[in-house]
Amino acid sequence: MTSTRSPSLTLRLTLLFALASAFVLFLLGLLIGNSVEHHFEEQDLEVLNGKMQLARHILERSPDGQPKETLTQQLDDALTGHPGLVVAVYHQNGETLYANKSVVFPQNLLGTRTTPRRDQAVKWISNDGLPWRGVSSTVKLGADSEGSYTVAIATETTHHEHFMTSFRETLWAFMSLATLAMGFLGWFVVRRGLLPLRAIKRQAAEITANQLHTRLPVESIPLELADLADTLNGMLSRLEESFQRLSDFSSDLAHELRTPVSNMLTQTQVTLSKARSADDYRNILASNAEEFERLSRTISDMLFLAKADHNQIVPNQEPIDLAEEIGNLLEYYDVLAEEKSITLSLSGNGRIIGDRLMLRRAVSNLLSNALRHTPSGGTVTVQIDERGDNMTHVAVENTGSEIPAEHLPRLFDRFYRVDSSRQRTTESSGLGLAITRSIVLAHGGEADVCSTNGLTRFTLLLPTSPSR
């Protein structure tokens, strides 16, 4: 199942820009069209109301008994110069008193009305398809207060309608072209604005595993993208550090596995070079068994660290008396300490909740490391301090040569040794301190080291209450 890619940022921004421009132009077109239409309506009403006042004046001042022909002539004279106007006067009984053209006025215009207002214009389409706009008013004829007449005045708006149709067509055509032009302009602006982002893309594409030291130039990037560049640079720094550690780890692992394999291969080849006695074969097999044990320990430790990296180590939760457990470990290492004339001591006490076997392994690694690096006649001291911050400190301190400060941050790394020239045939595989830190982290604690004034001190900070 293939997933469809979302539209490009350039296309989306261009469409949004074009739609926003079209919306604004559409509103502007409606405003202009309505304004022009309202202007023509104002003009028509001004003419219609002017003629309505003149017609009312003629009718209201007409003397009683004046012949109809005279009234008709007066109304005709009043319409001189306005051939497009239609005037009709109707009696309240429906009789037509005057009409200069045969135009049928709509009933909603001829109803009973008072003095017309400017908002009383009525638009309609006549039977011959012509557009009209008209007003009407009720008026008294002369002094006859009993009879009333309806005066209707209308003007043909064909010219206005043609103009508005042409004007709207031109206006909408212009707005369509303007929308296209604004869309193209928006595309151009977006393309120009996204050039720094494309530059970041090109520079990021050039970064390979051999060029993880390369960083994006934040100074030449716009302010809006500076945070993105900083984030990418931070990611590259973390990748470079992780890649370097992985490379060092792979190299160290190859060295660690090569030594026992090379030893077994050499011994086996020498043994097969000629016939041997049963005792010789037995000694060779015993030696190979030792190398296999070393390989087995290394592989087991690597599996443990791999689980720790993926948070798959789940410590048991049981009460532990640290003084008792560490005291048992000191008894185990007492024989080795006596051989090297090293004094072991324990002070303090504390109780925590954790995994007994894991914590024994963590402290055992520290004791083994301390005894290995303590000179003859030195001392190894274990201090347990139960603090009030819900943390218990377990410190393993030994006398001897100090560790240079530049090595301290990496002492807990896998296969890391301060003396890089030391042969890798010793009992230590370089994973003990890494395992110790993984165990402490799995319990929700921390591991630290310091070396000064002839003393090296490893400290484990363990939470007193359960970590999970």
Side-chain angles (χ1 to χ4, degrees):
M1 182 177 179
T2 59
S3 59
T4 58
R5 296 181 60 183
S6 59
S8 66
L9 183 60
T10 301
L11 177 61
R12 284 185 285 181
L13 290 177
T14 301
L15 291 177
L16 288 175
F17 191 78
L19 289 175
S21 301
F23 180 72
V24 173
L25 290 173
F26 175 75
L27 294 181
L28 182 62
L30 289 179
L31 178 62
I32 294 176
N34 291 334
S35 298
V36 174
E37 178 73 22
H38 184 68
H39 172 71
F40 284 139
E41 183 178 355
E42 291 285 333
Q43 283 186 332
D44 292 341
L45 283 175
E46 184 177 358
V47 174
L48 293 174
N49 288 326
K51 291 303 178 181
M52 177 63 73
Q53 292 180 0
L54 182 58
R56 288 174 60 88
H57 178 76
I58 293 174
L59 294 175
E60 289 176 352
R61 293 183 177 275
S62 175
D64 295 339
Q66 182 179 0
K68 181 179 180 182
E69 293 75 9
T70 303
L71 182 61
T72 301
Q73 184 62 42
Q74 291 178 349
L75 292 175
D76 288 337
D77 294 340
L79 297 177
T80 302
H82 296 280
L85 287 178
V86 176
V87 178
V89 181
Y90 302 98
H91 193 269
Q92 60 183 0
N93 59 11
E95 178 186 357
T96 302
L97 177 64
Y98 173 82
N100 65 335
K101 291 183 181 180
S102 58
V103 174
V104 179
F105 289 90
Q107 291 299 321
N108 60 341
L109 180 67
L110 297 179
T112 303
R113 295 177 179 269
T114 58
T115 302
R117 300 192 307 270
R118 298 177 65 86
D119 59 351
Q120 291 180 326
V122 176
K123 293 182 64 176
W124 78 94
I125 303 296
S126 61
N127 294 333
D128 53 2
L130 296 178
W132 294 86
R133 178 182 286 117
V135 296
S136 64
S137 179
T138 302
V139 63
K140 298 290 185 180
L141 181 60
D144 186 7
S145 60
E146 296 180 358
S148 62
Y149 292 82
T150 299
V151 180
I153 303 178
T155 181
E156 184 183 348
T157 59
T158 303
H159 175 71
H160 292 171
E161 295 294 333
H162 286 328
F163 176 83
M164 287 301 302
T165 300
S166 176
F167 176 77
R168 287 192 176 96
E169 291 176 354
T170 303
L171 182 63
W172 294 123
F174 170 78
M175 287 192 297
S176 300
L177 294 176
T179 300
L180 293 177
M182 295 295 286
F184 177 77
L185 179 62
W187 173 83
F188 177 77
V189 171
V190 171
R191 290 277 298 182
R192 292 284 298 177
L194 293 180
L195 285 179
L197 195 58
R198 294 189 180 88
I200 293 177
K201 175 185 174 183
R202 289 194 300 269
Q203 294 167 352
E206 295 174 355
I207 299 175
T208 62
N210 297 325
Q211 295 178 332
L212 289 176
H213 61 278
T214 305
R215 297 293 181 269
L216 300 176
V218 181
E219 298 78 10
S220 60
I221 295 177
L223 182 62
E224 292 79 4
L225 298 177
D227 290 341
L228 174 61
D230 287 334
T231 302
L232 291 176
N233 286 336
M235 179 190 68
L236 290 174
S237 298
R238 294 190 297 272
L239 286 176
E240 182 182 15
E241 181 181 357
S242 299
F243 191 85
Q244 184 62 42
R245 289 189 176 183
L246 180 61
S247 178
D248 294 342
F249 169 72
S250 301
S251 177
D252 292 335
L253 180 60
H255 281 291
E256 290 293 335
L257 297 180
R258 182 180 63 181
T259 299
V261 171
S262 178
N263 292 340
M264 289 186 294
L265 179 62
T266 301
Q267 291 177 353
T268 302
Q269 289 175 341
V270 171
T271 302
L272 295 176
S273 63
K274 63 178 182 179
R276 305 284 179 178
S277 63
D279 291 337
D280 290 336
Y281 285 120
R282 188 177 296 106
N283 292 333
I284 295 301
L285 290 177
S287 177
N288 286 347
E290 292 180 359
E291 296 296 340
F292 278 124
E293 289 179 359
R294 179 179 177 185
L295 279 175
S296 178
R297 287 196 303 270
T298 301
I299 294 173
S300 177
D301 291 343
M302 290 304 304
L303 290 175
F304 182 88
L305 291 173
K307 291 182 179 180
D309 289 342
H310 293 84
N311 297 322
Q312 295 179 357
I313 297 179
V314 181
N316 294 326
Q317 304 295 330
E318 55 182 320
I320 301 174
D321 188 333
L322 291 176
E324 179 181 352
E325 292 296 329
I326 296 176
N328 294 334
L329 286 174
L330 292 180
E331 291 180 4
Y332 174 79
Y333 284 104
D334 189 58
V335 176
L336 179 60
E338 287 182 0
E339 291 179 358
K340 298 184 65 175
S341 300
I342 297 175
T343 302
L344 299 177
S345 63
L346 172 64
S347 63
N349 57 74
R351 298 182 64 87
I352 65 171
I353 302 297
D355 192 299
R356 186 183 306 275
L357 294 179
M358 285 188 183
L359 291 175
R360 282 177 63 91
R361 186 177 186 182
V363 178
S364 178
N365 288 340
L366 294 183
L367 290 174
S368 175
N369 182 75
L371 290 172
R372 191 163 51 249
H373 294 91
T374 300
S376 178
T379 60
V380 175
T381 304
V382 182
Q383 299 176 356
I384 305 173
D385 186 7
E386 197 169 29
R387 304 288 181 89
D389 55 355
N390 199 34
M391 300 293 289
T392 299
H393 294 210
V394 178
V396 178
E397 184 179 83
N398 68 281
T399 59
S401 59
E402 299 177 11
I403 301 175
E406 62 270 17
H407 295 291
L408 294 178
R410 296 199 59 189
L411 282 183
F412 290 101
D413 291 349
R414 303 169 189 179
F415 298 121
Y416 186 79
R417 291 185 177 91
V418 175
D419 185 4
S420 59
S421 63
R422 195 179 74 184
Q423 297 295 325
R424 297 175 181 264
T425 58
T426 63
E427 183 180 347
S428 172
S429 63
L431 296 176
L433 294 180
I435 292 175
T436 296
R437 182 179 62 175
S438 298
I439 292 175
V440 173
L441 291 178
H443 281 77
E446 299 177 5
D448 192 17
V449 60
C450 63
S451 184
T452 181
N453 299 326
L455 294 175
T456 300
R457 182 186 183 94
F458 286 86
T459 304
L460 307 182
L461 285 72
L462 299 170
T464 303
S465 57
S467 59
R468 306 184 183 195

